[in-house]
């Protein structure tokens, strides 16, 4: 069996590769990443690695598919800075929508058995009273959600017109060992860890009453495998991740308890969904998902890992495509 994983140096991609190598026999894994948001140290040594930017390398991508001839493709590569996406529109669409179109083309050409695509809860927008269910009409409120919803639609069209088999996963607030904690625009739990390690206060946008269902990555790995290999997952759209609604404020307090210290500073609110409560029944019945790791348990594991990480330069955008309306905390002189 041959498997191709894009975004293999990121959290989901690297941990997925680890899980497959540890649990599946007679498998070869090929991985693609441009190392813009992940690190080569995350990539399992048994992965055949290609350093490639998918947004402008169609010929190189074709060569990789011709070489590895994958049975299954996991397309995890993305730039998932949802709150920043209104200020980097073209970058957002290039790195989320155009890259996915390139992957879809190759999957069709090479008769891939199934494409597993990670979308986002951002496609729901506000949802129905903060509840996000797979049967709802999608209505994203930011360019990141628009890009991912367009990807979903394109994949489904490829299924209808070209016979591509697919499974679309909508993960949410995923965290864990190997997460990028050096990006100031995404991954709130990782941002807090970076801030504490660098003697900075933990920052919260608004009042901290926003609620999210945080998802420890290890709980989702076997379900992601099932998304590729189970017949009942064919052409299904499935929310995947934590089932407990937790406020941002409570999450910060939980991390403070683990660390044993830490101050919180409240900043101006940003344009975002207040409450995010995804349904999870399909992930249980189709993918065998089990919510096994509490936020405190998961944060404890991630914090122990974070303390051992090298001191890296924090990623900061030098300039934005649009400065009008940019939040004070993201201004380049902030």
């Amino acid at each position: 069996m041959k498997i191709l994983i894009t975004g293999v140096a990121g959290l989901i991609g690297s941990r997925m590769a680890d899980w497959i190598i540890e649990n599946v026999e007679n498998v070869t894994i090929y991985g693609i990443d441009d190392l813009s948001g992940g690190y080569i140290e995350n990539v399992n040594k048994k992965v055949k690695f290609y350093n490639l930017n998918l947004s402008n390398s169609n010929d190189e991508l074709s060569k990789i598919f011709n070489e590895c001839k994958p049975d299954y493709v996991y397309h995890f590569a993305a730039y998932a800075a949802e709150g920043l996406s209104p200020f980097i529109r073209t970058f957002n669409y290039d790195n989320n929508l155009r890259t996915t179109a390139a992957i879809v083309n190759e999957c069709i050409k090479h008769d891939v058995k199934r494409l597993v695509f990670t979308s986002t809860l951002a496609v729901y927008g506000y949802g129905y009273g903060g509840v996000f269910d797979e049967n709802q009409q999608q209505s994203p409120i930011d360019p990141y959600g628009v890009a991912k919803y367009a990807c979903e639609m394109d994949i489904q069209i490829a299924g209808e017109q070209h016979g591509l088999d697919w499974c679309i996963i909508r993960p949410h607030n995923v965290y864990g060992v190997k997460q990028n904690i050096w990006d100031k625009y995404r991954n709130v739990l990782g941002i807090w860890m970076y801030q504490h390690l660098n003697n900075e206060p933990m920052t919260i946008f608004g009042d901290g009453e926003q609620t999210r269902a945080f998802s420890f990555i290890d709980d989702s790995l076997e379900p992601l495998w099932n998304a590729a290999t189970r017949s009942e997952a064919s052409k299904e759209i499935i929310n995947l991740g934590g089932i407990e609604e937790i406020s941002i404020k409570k999450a910060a307090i939980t991390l403070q308890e683990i660390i044993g210290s830490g101050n919180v500073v409240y900043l101006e609110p940003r344009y975002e969904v207040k409450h995010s409560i995804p349904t999870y029944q399909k992930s249980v019945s189709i993918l065998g998902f089990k919510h096994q790791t509490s936020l405190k348990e998961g944060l404890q594991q991630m914090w122990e890992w974070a303390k051992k990480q090298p001191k890296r330069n924090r990623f900061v955008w030098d300039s934005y495509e649009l400065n009008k309306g940019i939040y004070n905390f993201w201004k380049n002189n902030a």
Side-chain angles (χ1 to χ4, degrees), residues 144-200:
Y144 176 65
V146 170
K148 285 290 195 174
Y149 186 33
C151 293
E152 290 189 9
M153 295 173 69
D154 186 65
I155 289 168
Q156 291 175 74
I157 291 169
E160 289 291 328
Q161 187 168 3
H162 300 286
L164 176 66
D165 194 8
W166 53 264
C167 181
I168 293 170
I169 300 295
R170 293 173 178 161
H172 43 90
N173 299 98
V174 184
Y175 71 99
V177 171
K178 295 190 177 182
Q179 184 161 62
N180 183 350
I181 65 174
W182 299 273
D183 190 324
K184 69 180 291 185
Y185 307 98
R186 53 181 177 156
N187 308 325
V188 63
L189 303 177
I191 288 172
W192 289 340
M193 291 184 186
Y194 173 91
Q195 289 172 331
H196 188 80
L197 289 169
N198 288 273
N199 301 310
E200 300 175 10

Side-chain angles (χ1 to χ4, degrees), residues 188 192 204 208-212 214 246-252:
V188 63
W192 289 340
I204 290 178
E209 297 301 327
Q210 309 96 306
T211 55
R212 300 291 184 265
F214 293 98
I246 298 172
S247 73
I248 297 297
K249 184 183 295 184
K250 182 179 178 182

Side-chain angles (χ1 to χ4, degrees), residues 140-299:
I141 66 168
D142 54 63
Y144 176 65
V146 170
K148 285 290 195 174
Y149 186 33
C151 293
E152 290 189 9
M153 295 173 69
D154 186 65
I155 289 168
Q156 291 175 74
I157 291 169
E160 289 291 328
Q161 187 168 3
H162 300 286
L164 176 66
D165 194 8
W166 53 264
C167 181
I168 293 170
I169 300 295
R170 293 173 178 161
H172 43 90
N173 299 98
V174 184
Y175 71 99
V177 171
K178 295 190 177 182
Q179 184 161 62
N180 183 350
I181 65 174
W182 299 273
D183 190 324
K184 69 180 291 185
Y185 307 98
R186 53 181 177 156
N187 308 325
V188 63
L189 303 177
I191 288 172
W192 289 340
M193 291 184 186
Y194 173 91
Q195 289 172 331
H196 188 80
L197 289 169
N198 288 273
N199 301 310
E200 300 175 10
M202 296 159 56
T203 52
I204 290 178
F205 305 133
D207 59 11
E209 297 301 327
Q210 309 96 306
T211 55
R212 300 291 184 265
F214 293 98
S215 309
F216 188 61
I217 181 59
D218 291 25
D219 290 351
S220 293
L221 297 176
E222 185 171 0
L224 282 169
W225 174 253
N226 293 337
T229 58
R230 284 190 177 180
S231 60
E232 55 265 44
S234 173
K235 297 186 177 179
E236 291 284 352
I237 299 175
I238 307 172
N239 295 337
L240 179 62
I243 64 175
E244 184 181 2
E245 183 184 3
I246 298 172
S247 73
I248 297 297
K249 184 183 295 184
K250 182 179 178 182
I253 292 171
T254 302
L255 182 57
Q256 287 174 316
E257 291 172 350
I258 291 169
I259 294 173
S261 61
N263 298 318
V264 172
V265 172
Y266 291 86
L267 305 177
E268 64 181 302
R270 66 179 187 179
Y271 182 63
E272 63 179 335
V273 170
K274 185 74 172 181
H275 300 292
S276 174
I277 312 167
T279 58
Y280 57 88
Q281 287 77 11
K282 284 185 73 174
S283 68
V284 173
S285 61
I286 296 176
L287 303 181
F289 174 74
K290 297 177 182 178
H291 181 67
Q292 298 176 309
T293 309
S294 70
L295 180 62
K296 188 168 186 177
E297 292 168 336
L299 282 177

Side-chain angles (χ1 to χ4, degrees), residues 30-48:
Y30 302 84
I32 297 174
D33 205 294
D34 66 358
L35 303 179
S36 62
Y39 299 92
I40 191 64
E41 294 86 352
N42 290 347
V43 182
N44 195 295
K45 300 298 184 183
K46 295 183 179 180
V47 172
K48 182 171 177 53

Side-chain angles (χ1 to χ4, degrees), residues 45-103:
K45 300 298 184 183
K46 295 183 179 180
V47 172
K48 182 171 177 53
F49 178 72
Y50 300 90
N51 188 333
L52 185 71
N53 184 328
L54 292 171
S55 66
N56 56 13
S57 305
N58 288 355
D59 290 344
E60 291 299 315
L61 182 62
S62 293
K63 291 178 183 177
I64 292 171
F65 267 81
N66 283 326
E67 177 182 334
C68 67
K69 295 179 172 55
D71 297 296
Y72 300 100
V73 173
Y74 286 97
H75 182 36
F76 297 142
Y79 187 65
E82 182 179 353
L84 187 65
S85 65
F87 308 102
I88 52 168
R89 269 183 166 79
T90 60
F91 182 90
N92 166 69
Y93 291 121
D94 283 346
N95 285 270
N96 292 312
L97 179 53
R98 289 186 62 193
T99 58
T100 300
I103 291 294

